[in-house]
Amino acid sequence: MPKMKTNRGLAKRVKVTGSGKFKRHHAYASHILGKKTAKRKRNLRKSAVATSADNKKMRKLMPYA
């Protein structure tokens, strides 16, 4: 059986933690920042953990993660 391919788009966007969770960045932090509060922008800089619902899909896209 041939090797499975890793989805390169997802691999560039997420990192896998030691416990196997997917660490991701927040959306809405790249432009139109003038109307957003400093607190909101500061919190968007922090990384987030992908939800368990998305975990199953991500496992298929990154089989060796």
Side-chain angles (χ1 to χ4, degrees):
M1 191 167 188
K3 291 180 186 177
M4 293 172 72
K5 285 194 173 182
T6 295
N7 181 285
R8 299 312 295 161
L10 181 67
K12 291 169 189 176
R13 285 168 172 79
V14 299
K15 297 277 179 266
V16 184
T17 64
S19 60
K21 294 176 186 171
F22 289 96
K23 205 165 86 168
R24 62 171 181 83
H25 293 290
H26 281 102
Y28 307 111
S30 57
H31 61 99
I32 315 175
L33 299 172
K35 62 174 83 168
K36 294 170 187 156
T37 64
K39 179 181 178 180
R40 185 172 163 196
K41 289 186 280 191
R42 185 166 61 246
N43 286 328
L44 287 172
R45 284 200 299 263
K46 299 173 185 174
S47 60
V49 176
T51 62
S52 57
D54 293 330
N55 253 3
K56 192 175 177 184
K57 293 178 210 166
M58 289 183 181
R59 286 261 164 256
K60 279 189 171 176
L61 294 173
M62 290 181 64
Y64 301 107

